[in-house]
Amino acid sequence: MSKKSFAMTKNQVLFVSICSIALVLTLLLILRREQLGTGVSFPQKPYQNDGSEIMVQRLKTLVKDRQIISKGSFNKEKPAILEPLASRELKPPGEASPEEELERIWNYIYQRQYHCTESKYLGGQKTGPFAGDGAYDVCVEKQFWPDRNPSGEKCLVYSFGINNDFTFDDAIAQLGCEVHSFDPSMDLADKTVRKSGVIFHKIGISNEDKDRGFNGWKMRTLKTLLYELGHLDRHLDFLKVDTDRGDGTGFEDIVMQELLETGLYKCVRQFSFELHMPGPLTQPRLLNRCRLLYHQMRALNDGGWRLYNTTDNVRYYKTQANKDYTQRINKNNIVNRGGYVILWESSFVNFEVIGTCKNALSL
């Protein structure tokens, strides 16, 4: 056999090998997509955020599984997260005492994971006993607040929990955003459009879709709202959740759980929320919720999110109890006493946005 014909045979073998490998990889990708679900399929059952160990264990695998698919898709570096020194001597999460579980989440929330060098503090009441309430920080660095594309598509903002205070929503609308405000408790007509362009929806956020849900209000999941409002083919540039359930807790755990369960955390650029943690933590239900909130935020860290701002909300206590009131006083009361609630206004940025919300749901 001539050298020329032998060379041709090697090339043919190489070509067949490459085609075979490509075919196997394609079949594996199809099988993987079928396992995780594609398109816009809605869950059969609502997410049950009871703070149980089963829920915590699910959180540990959700983001890890999705990271395997998206590994290598991003070129932005994100800061490493170091465990606070004060937390290293605590018993493992879920096994520690109420005092230690509080210490863990306390240390976590006050350790900034990223320093945003360019931000805007928007909204908030300017005067009165609750001056500053309703304001949130927006990181406007380009990787988290990118320039609009040539088509002129606006940044998209969802704001849950208004309580007749549109100062933040109006302010972020002035940055050129399309803003949708949600609050089922307000005496305002659904789909009201404000002068700022903000669109009001008389709908609440929930873990299931009901026309008469919590308090008889119309409630929707985040995924359903993205579908019904026609926003699945977009990023959610800013998601704000400042809601109250009436028992000292809020709906932030419901939202974080859905972000993690569905994969929507991959299409949200920034997330700001008020974290509610009522006492006494000696009550199992409230202790489990404390543990779940910590696990949810750590799971979001695993998905590329970094905490960059936390503000103590002790405005009520300062005006009604003691002008020198601090969160530290709150901490001393919350373990064994009812009637006290720790409120933190916290903000995350996402280093690993992959594409539209529809893309995120299909992974």
Side-chain angles (χ1 to χ4, degrees), residues 309-355:
N309 186 67
T310 291
T311 302
D312 291 338
N313 183 354
V314 290
R315 301 177 189 102
Y316 175 83
Y317 296 108
K318 279 181 173 291
T319 58
Q320 302 298 319
N322 180 357
K323 64 181 179 62
D324 298 319
Y325 199 93
T326 66
Q327 200 77 287
R328 177 67 64 177
I329 298 174
N330 230 2
K331 181 183 181 184
N332 295 334
N333 289 323
I334 195 175
V335 173
N336 297 302
R337 299 177 63 180
Y340 288 88
V341 183
I342 287 180
L343 299 175
W344 284 307
E345 296 159 345
S346 300
S347 300
F348 285 82
V349 289
N350 186 358
F351 279 82
E352 296 186 357
V353 176
I354 64 164

Side-chain angles (χ1 to χ4, degrees), residues 89-334:
E89 300 301 321
L90 303 177
K91 290 184 179 179
E95 301 177 15
S97 66
E99 291 83 0
E100 286 192 325
E101 297 291 13
L102 174 58
E103 186 69 19
R104 190 189 326 278
I105 197 170
W106 180 278
N107 296 337
Y108 174 91
I109 210 74
Y110 286 119
Q111 179 167 287
R112 185 169 60 182
Q113 299 167 351
Y114 176 70
H115 176 61
C116 178
T117 58
E118 188 177 357
S119 65
K120 295 180 182 292
Y121 205 59
L122 303 178
Q125 300 177 32
K126 303 303 180 185
T127 60
F130 298 104
D133 203 39
Y136 280 93
D137 196 69
V138 180
C139 183
V140 293
E141 293 179 355
K142 284 193 174 181
Q143 64 265 43
F144 309 116
W145 199 256
D147 295 332
R148 296 303 101 193
N149 58 40
S151 67
E153 183 176 83
K154 294 182 175 182
C155 40
L156 180 62
V157 177
Y158 277 18
S159 176
F160 293 95
I162 310 303
N163 194 27
N164 296 294
D165 180 5
F166 284 95
T167 54
F168 172 81
D169 304 61
D170 289 338
I172 202 168
Q174 291 173 7
L175 297 183
C177 294
E178 177 184 340
V179 182
H180 295 263
S181 305
F182 303 85
D183 194 324
S185 70
M186 288 172 52
D187 187 16
L188 186 64
D190 187 41
K191 299 181 181 177
T192 294
V193 181
R194 293 173 57 80
K195 289 182 180 180
S196 62
V198 171
I199 303 172
F200 173 77
H201 303 272
K202 201 175 179 65
I203 303 173
I205 190 68
S206 181
N207 59 347
E208 55 185 332
D209 300 321
K210 285 189 175 182
D211 288 336
R212 291 187 61 82
F214 182 78
N215 277 356
W217 298 331
K218 182 177 180 180
M219 307 294 282
R220 291 290 186 268
T221 64
L222 179 59
K223 182 163 67 171
T224 296
L225 288 171
L226 288 165
Y227 173 75
E228 291 181 346
L229 297 178
H231 296 148
L232 281 173
D233 290 320
R234 297 171 65 178
H235 296 95
L236 189 49
D237 292 277
F238 199 95
L239 172 62
K240 188 218 82 176
V241 179
D242 186 349
T243 55
D244 299 299
R245 296 180 67 96
D247 62 352
T249 67
F251 288 85
E252 66 275 8
D253 57 332
I254 295 288
V255 175
M256 285 193 284
Q257 193 65 35
E258 184 181 359
L259 290 170
L260 292 162
E261 290 266 0
T262 62
L264 283 172
Y265 68 91
K266 287 292 188 184
C267 73
V268 177
R269 296 192 195 277
Q270 297 189 49
F271 176 48
S272 289
F273 64 103
E274 184 170 69
L275 188 153
H276 303 71
M277 199 162 59
L281 293 183
T282 50
Q283 187 179 121
R285 178 181 68 88
L286 298 178
L287 177 60
N288 284 337
R289 188 174 186 278
C290 172
R291 289 168 170 163
L292 180 62
L293 288 167
Y294 172 77
H295 279 288
Q296 288 173 329
M297 290 187 289
R298 288 306 303 264
L300 290 172
N301 286 156
D302 292 340
W305 290 31
R306 294 294 181 266
L307 178 69
Y308 78 92
N309 186 67
T310 291
T311 302
D312 291 338
N313 183 354
V314 290
R315 301 177 189 102
Y316 175 83
Y317 296 108
K318 279 181 173 291
T319 58
Q320 302 298 319
N322 180 357
K323 64 181 179 62
D324 298 319
Y325 199 93
T326 66
Q327 200 77 287
R328 177 67 64 177
I329 298 174
N330 230 2
K331 181 183 181 184
N332 295 334
N333 289 323
I334 195 175

